[in-house]
Amino acid sequence: MKIAVRSFRGIERVDVEAGPVAFFAGRNHTGKSSICLAVASALTGMAIPYVRPGKDGRPMSLFTKAQAGAMVRGGTDSGSVTVAIGESSVGMKWPSGEATSVGDKPPHSSVYATGLINAPDLDDKTRAMYLADVLGTLPTLADLAAALKEIYPGEQIEKIWKKIETDGWDNAAKEIREHGARLKGQWEAATNERYGATKGAGWIPAGWNEQLAGSSVDALEVEVSKAKHNLEAMIAGAATGEAEVAHLKQSVAGGENLPDLSADIKKAQKEFEDAEQARNILPPLVKDQETCACPHCTKDVAVVQTRNGYELHVPATKIGKAEHDKRSKALGAAIAVISHKRSVLDDLKTRESRNTAMRQLAAEAQKKLDEITAKAAKRPSETVINEAREAVRIAEEQLRIFKAKFTAEHLHASVERNQIVIDALAPEGLRKAKLTGALSGFNDALETLTNTADYKRVTIDEDMNIRMAGRLYALLSASEQYRARAVLQTALAIKDGSDIVILDGADILDVDGRNGLFSLIAGVAQDSTIQFIVGMTINRQDQVPDLSGMELGAAFWIENGVVS
């Protein structure tokens, strides 16, 4: 890797190339940490490499980008850093805070691999969230599906998963528990008893019999429908019979003693015809007539409208007004007589038609009365109707009992399925199972690293506590904590795909500790492409170890902000 730094904090100029280790040594306040921070800034893309962990373990800057000018070395206007591995590189410019990137695979590292945030320094909850994320200990949709596939279809499992993604595992589990409580309440409402797992599995309602065991809701509903239909038919038959008999008797009575009007109709018909004949023999009314020549004899003729149509008449002899009025009065009287006679005749015909219909209706009614009388003995008695009512009650009771057991069984099954989901979402469920598996593999990796460094074993327990040789991190000495951090940084860098691990402040280690650190670095460098930057306080340049002889990289002395 190549590192070039200009005017960053205490650094004036750095141009080095080394790998897999670049070791920076010098006295206090000479710029070792500035080099580490500059490289961390380029690798993480954070213009000001001073961060703190957020609630989810992700970095949050302590400063704004506008304050990036504070990173520039005093007395200069701008600073920069470039870190290159092969043909790819990343960089950062100050005071603009502009990040640069070149090549297909620009190097990068996490804030944990660069030491900007140390996993052991996180609070318990944040550390658990971060480690669970980076170690992949949170269950996936596939894990949830495997746990629930026997009780829920895929689409239902996906709904639960979306709830987990939206609300988190604990909130989702709480909502599922509340749903289970509601299901138990529904079971108690259906059975009128307190719910219990054992009781729910074997609850039988009062009145249950073995005949119901092989039935179904649909079949029992059919039986209820049949019983109701039978009862309604009986009740309707009895009620309709009485009403119909009364109506039929009324129809029969209405057809009795009706007069025969045929003779009256014949007489009225004769009188009507006589009145018409009397009108026809009256002399016609004659007014001034218009004449025309006869097409045959050429004499004057008049066209006269008669009852039979239009006729040609020899022009009538004109009459006087008195004679005309007399004839007109006689004709009016004749027409009045005809109208009256027609009215009487029509009335008689209407009455006779109605009487005929009533006689026919009465005959039909009498026939039905005879049929009803013949069937009267077969009409259901009150006892039979009461038996039909009892059959309806029994059928409805059987249906109620079956529904109660069916509903209780269904709700109990729902409670049990819901409990499986609760168990899966609980901290002791899928998450713990997945965590146990992931931690086992990660602790194996930590053990490999500690064995390589000849350090005491570093582990992470199921509660996400970091331990060394079984002791909690907080109880370790400062040098032990550094060893644990170095091992964790390296392991997490391998896990999260970081390219460079930065280990500053290694001077806290004694000779054995330092030798172990370089053994660790050498082992990792041999098995991976990860590279290291190590900063250490050393009082004299002649005390700087020669890494080239160990084929680990190169060591550099830094003084007054310049590397040599």
Side-chain angles (χ1 to χ4, degrees):
M1 61 182 160
K2 295 180 181 179
I3 301 172
V5 184
R6 296 290 185 275
S7 301
F8 177 82
R9 288 192 1 139
I11 293 297
E12 177 182 340
R13 182 182 69 257
V14 172
D15 289 288
V16 299
E17 181 175 0
V21 180
F23 180 80
F24 295 98
R27 289 181 284 273
N28 288 335
H29 308 296
T30 57
K32 301 181 301 297
S33 295
S34 292
I35 293 176
C36 293
L37 287 172
V39 174
S41 178
L43 292 173
T44 62
M46 308 195 73
I48 305 180
Y50 292 89
V51 297
R52 64 178 177 84
K55 292 182 178 180
D56 56 357
R58 301 178 190 275
M60 298 179 64
S61 179
L62 297 175
F63 302 92
T64 65
K65 191 174 181 180
Q67 297 171 299
M71 298 293 100
V72 178
R73 179 180 173 87
T76 60
D77 296 328
S78 62
S80 65
V81 60
T82 301
V83 181
I85 297 179
E87 300 299 321
S88 300
S89 66
V90 290
M92 184 66 67
K93 296 179 180 179
W94 296 278
S96 65
E98 176 188 355
T100 61
S101 177
V102 176
D104 296 333
K105 297 181 179 180
H108 76 283
S109 291
S110 68
V111 293
Y112 293 92
T114 57
L116 296 182
I117 298 177
N118 290 309
D121 295 335
L122 302 175
D123 63 72
D124 292 344
K125 185 175 181 180
T126 304
R127 182 169 62 250
M129 291 180 64
Y130 164 68
L131 291 177
D133 182 45
V134 74
L135 298 181
T137 62
L138 286 178
T140 64
L141 173 58
D143 296 322
L144 184 67
L148 304 182
K149 65 181 180 180
E150 298 297 330
I151 60 171
Y152 284 128
E155 55 269 21
Q156 183 64 28
I157 295 173
E158 288 181 1
K159 288 182 180 179
I160 296 173
W161 181 252
K162 287 181 179 178
K163 188 178 297 296
I164 292 171
E165 288 184 318
T166 302
D167 302 333
W169 283 82
D170 291 335
N171 288 332
K174 178 182 178 182
E175 187 171 334
I176 297 297
R177 283 195 299 272
E178 291 172 350
H179 178 63
R182 289 193 294 270
L183 288 174
K184 292 176 183 178
Q186 293 173 16
W187 188 93
E188 293 175 350
T191 63
N192 201 30
E193 296 186 30
R194 293 287 296 174
Y195 178 81
T198 302
K199 182 185 292 184
W203 184 80
I204 296 177
W208 179 263
N209 58 71
E210 291 304 317
Q211 292 180 345
L212 289 174
S215 189
S216 67
V217 171
D218 290 342
L220 292 172
E221 285 180 341
V222 169
E223 293 302 318
V224 171
S225 179
K226 287 181 179 179
K228 285 184 175 180
H229 178 75
N230 183 50
L231 174 60
E232 290 168 358
M234 288 184 179
I235 294 174
T240 303
E242 294 176 1
E244 187 177 2
V245 166
H247 177 70
L248 291 173
K249 286 182 177 180
Q250 184 179 5
S251 297
V252 170
E256 295 176 346
N257 302 319
L258 295 174
D260 184 359
L261 301 177
S262 57
D264 294 336
I265 292 173
K266 185 176 181 180
K267 179 181 177 182
Q269 180 70 37
K270 179 65 171 61
E271 290 178 354
F272 170 72
E273 293 174 353
D274 290 345
E276 281 193 323
Q277 183 63 30
R279 183 196 64 181
N280 290 338
I281 63 175
L282 290 174
L285 293 176
V286 180
K287 293 183 179 180
D288 291 340
Q289 296 174 318
E290 295 182 359
T291 61
C292 63
C294 176
H296 301 289
C297 65
T298 71
K299 292 182 180 180
D300 289 339
V301 293
V303 179
V304 178
Q305 182 178 5
T306 68
R307 292 184 65 199
N308 298 322
Y310 291 92
E311 298 177 357
L312 295 176
H313 285 199
V314 175
T317 303
K318 294 182 179 180
I319 61 175
K321 181 178 185 303
E323 181 63 21
H324 179 274
D325 292 342
K326 179 181 176 182
R327 292 183 183 184
S328 178
K329 184 176 181 182
L331 181 61
I335 291 173
V337 171
I338 290 172
S339 177
H340 173 68
K341 295 300 182 180
R342 177 179 289 279
S343 177
V344 171
L345 176 60
D346 290 344
D347 180 64
L348 288 171
K349 287 181 177 180
T350 300
R351 288 169 59 195
E352 181 59 20
S353 177
R354 184 171 59 250
N355 289 347
T356 299
M358 292 182 67
R359 292 188 194 97
Q360 183 178 356
L361 183 62
E364 293 175 354
Q366 185 60 55
K367 182 180 179 181
K368 288 185 178 181
L369 278 174
D370 294 341
E371 293 175 353
I372 290 173
T373 301
K375 295 179 180 180
K378 300 179 181 180
R379 190 176 301 158
S381 64
E382 189 63 27
T383 300
V384 173
I385 292 175
N386 287 336
E387 290 175 352
R389 288 193 179 97
E390 179 63 12
V392 171
R393 187 196 67 77
I394 292 174
E396 289 179 335
E397 179 66 8
Q398 294 290 288
L399 176 60
R400 184 197 66 77
I401 292 171
F402 188 89
K403 279 186 174 180
K405 190 171 190 299
F406 177 83
T407 300
E409 288 177 347
H410 175 74
L411 288 170
H412 174 66
S414 296
V415 169
E416 289 192 320
R417 286 195 299 271
N418 195 76
Q419 187 60 48
I420 293 175
V421 180
I422 292 173
D423 293 342
L425 269 59
E428 299 299 314
L430 278 178
R431 285 179 283 177
K432 184 173 182 179
K434 191 71 180 288
L435 172 64
T436 300
L439 282 179
S440 176
F442 190 67
N443 282 327
D444 288 344
L446 291 175
E447 184 176 14
T448 299
L449 294 176
T450 53
N451 288 341
T452 301
D454 197 20
Y455 288 167
K456 295 176 183 177
R457 186 180 180 188
V458 176
T459 58
I460 301 177
D461 63 24
E462 293 181 357
D463 296 323
M464 292 296 181
N465 293 312
I466 298 169
R467 297 175 181 270
M468 182 176 236
R471 296 173 62 211
L472 287 173
Y473 177 85
L475 302 180
L476 301 176
S477 67
S479 63
E480 286 177 319
Q481 289 182 346
Y482 188 92
R483 291 183 180 91
R485 285 201 306 273
V487 170
L488 278 172
Q489 270 185 254
T490 304
L492 291 173
I494 296 172
K495 197 72 177 177
D496 67 23
S498 294
D499 293 309
I500 297 174
V501 175
I502 300 176
L503 299 169
D504 193 15
D507 47 272
I508 195 172
L509 301 174
D510 60 13
V511 174
D512 289 340
R514 296 174 189 178
N515 291 336
L517 180 64
F518 283 108
S519 296
L520 169 66
I521 292 172
V524 172
Q526 183 177 356
D527 298 331
S528 72
T529 60
I530 293 179
Q531 306 202 42
F532 291 81
I533 295 174
V534 179
M536 181 183 295
T537 297
I538 294 180
N539 292 325
R540 300 196 314 271
Q541 187 172 358
D542 60 5
Q543 294 176 330
V544 178
D546 180 11
L547 298 186
S548 60
M550 296 184 288
E551 297 183 352
L552 283 179
F556 304 96
W557 178 258
I558 182 167
E559 190 165 355
N560 298 323
V562 178
V563 169
S564 61

